[in-house]
Every structure is written in C-alpha cells, then in structure tokens.
Amino acid sequence: MLVLAFTLGLFGSLHCVGMCGPIALLIPLQRQRKGFRSLQLGAYFIGKTLAYALMGLLFGLVGEGIFIAEYQQEFSIFAGLLMIFMGLFSLLHLRVKGLGNPLLKGFSLLKNALGKQLSKKTLTSSLSIGFLNGFLPCGLVYTALFGALAMGNWWGSMIYMTAFGVGTIPLMLLLILLGDFLPLALRRRLNQWLPLVVILVGILFILRGLGLGIPYLSPADTHLILHPKADC
C-alpha cells in the first residue's frame, strides 16, 4: 500500500506542478548560496510532507474512532468506489454548485498566511511555506486521504500520507530547479490523465478489499496483515 501511495503521489504530482507549482516558484531562495538554497528546498518539502503526515494522523484517529479496522476490507472497497466516482466526476468535468465555497474560505486564510512567509528568506519560512502549502484545497490530496483512512489505524494512515508526500517531490523539485520546464499545453494534456490514475488506484483498493488471495495486490485477509495476533 505504501508503494501505491508513493505512485499516486508521483503521477499525481503532474497535477501538483500546475496547482502548487506557482507557489513553489515563489519560494524566496538564496540563489547566491547554493548550500543554503538546498537547505531551503529541503525545509519546504519536509514542511509539505509533514502537513500530509499530520492529515494522515488525524484521519487515522478518526478511522480508529469509528472502528474502520474491524471492517477494513469493506471500507477499502467503499474507498475504491469513491475514488472511481471522483475520477469519473473529474474526467467528465462535472461540478456541484456551492461545494467549493468552504474550500475557498479556507484557501483565503492560507493564502494570507503564505503571503507573510513568502517575503522571508529563512529556513523557518521555507518550512512554513511547505507546511501551509500542504493544506491547500486539492482533490488529489483528498483522494489520498480516503486511501489513508482505509488503513484502519493512525500510524498506518500517517505513513501512507508520508509516502504520498514523498512521491510528489521529484517533479516538484524539477519544477523549482529548472523553472517552468513543462509548457502549459503539455501540462494540461498530462492533467487529463490524472482522473485515470485516480480511477486505477480506486480499482486497486477494491481488489485489496475483495481479498482474492493475490499476494500484495489482494491479500486474503487484510486484518491479519495490519493487526497480527501474537503467538500464545
């Protein structure tokens, strides 16, 4: 599942390049001090991954609170169906009126906080920019969180989202180092494939929940993997 989370982050980072790329390019890096610039970039990605890990922790605690672990395979199927629905929703360019209003309010608060940090050139500000960036409204992150919730425990969800965050780093790092290396037309074309990636991940979650006895892909009993019983 960690490989799946990393893969979702890696391929989904094509979407991140378009959504978070402009913010990443605004990070006030010390161009003349390459060593310090590397530390700033590291702090930015650590902050962003910490935000994802924190969200994974919170969702994992919720999952434990509603006893998802006891119905982990069933919830995995539910999460997979939900991912497929979200992918189709995006693929068909469907919208629900009023659904984005709360997100826009949250985005406004985050934008103000980010604006204050973008004027500083310290490691703390780079860490803060990455951390705040991680909480920006993003359908891809929401998809990953449903996957994390299906892990059934707080530590599994936190590690899942950490793997997702690490997966988003390669393309984002290339964007920062090379500038706007992907033409806008190409980015739009690549973004068209993102819903298909989400649908594929949803199918894999369903297979996992069905317990078909396929090693790693669809283990016979997910509960035994995440909650092994100690030998008496």
Side-chain angles (χ1 to χ4, degrees):
M1 294 306 293
L2 297 183
V3 174
L4 185 59
F6 178 84
T7 303
L8 178 62
L10 181 63
F11 288 99
S13 59
L14 294 171
H15 174 72
C16 293
V17 167
M19 296 297 293
C20 301
I23 293 175
L25 290 173
L26 290 175
I27 298 174
L29 299 174
Q30 292 280 5
R31 303 291 179 181
Q32 291 75 24
R33 300 167 59 189
K34 293 183 178 180
F36 190 75
R37 182 184 65 175
S38 298
L39 291 176
Q40 285 180 294
L41 289 175
Y44 168 78
F45 286 116
I46 288 173
K48 199 162 180 278
T49 303
L50 282 175
Y52 294 146
L54 178 58
M55 286 188 281
L57 171 63
L58 295 175
F59 269 65
L61 290 173
V62 171
E64 285 191 352
I66 57 179
F67 308 107
I68 282 179
E70 297 182 13
Y71 306 97
Q72 194 174 32
Q73 289 179 275
E74 293 84 354
F75 188 82
S76 183
I77 295 173
F78 170 76
L81 290 172
L82 195 58
M83 288 180 188
I84 292 174
F85 174 77
M86 291 173 65
L88 291 173
F89 209 73
S90 179
L91 196 63
L92 298 174
H93 304 289
L94 300 176
R95 296 289 183 272
V96 177
K97 292 183 177 179
L99 185 61
N101 291 339
L103 298 180
L104 290 176
K105 293 179 181 178
F107 176 76
S108 179
L109 294 175
L110 285 172
K111 185 174 66 173
N112 292 335
L114 275 170
K116 295 178 181 178
Q117 297 299 323
L118 287 171
S119 61
K120 305 173 184 178
K121 291 186 177 182
T122 64
L123 289 178
T124 303
S125 64
S126 297
L127 184 70
S128 299
I129 291 169
F131 187 75
L132 293 170
N133 195 168
F135 287 101
L136 289 176
C138 175
L140 179 66
V141 175
Y142 302 152
T143 300
L145 284 171
F146 280 115
L149 189 59
M151 298 301 289
N153 52 68
W154 66 266
W155 53 267
S157 297
M158 185 172 65
I159 295 174
Y160 183 96
M161 288 303 295
T162 301
F164 167 79
V166 172
T168 65
I169 292 176
L171 274 182
M172 289 295 296
L173 182 59
L174 281 176
L175 172 68
I176 295 172
L177 294 178
L178 302 180
D180 199 6
F181 70 99
L182 286 179
L184 180 59
L186 180 57
R187 268 185 284 160
R188 287 176 176 173
R189 185 175 295 275
L190 291 174
N191 277 334
Q192 292 175 358
W193 290 90
L194 181 59
L196 298 178
V197 174
V198 173
I199 291 172
L200 176 61
V201 172
I203 293 173
L204 293 175
F205 264 86
I206 291 174
L207 288 174
R208 177 175 177 267
L210 290 175
L212 301 177
I214 305 173
Y216 304 106
L217 179 62
S218 183
D221 192 341
T222 312
H223 301 84
L224 294 179
I225 293 177
L226 291 180
H227 302 279
K229 295 181 180 179
D231 296 333
C232 298

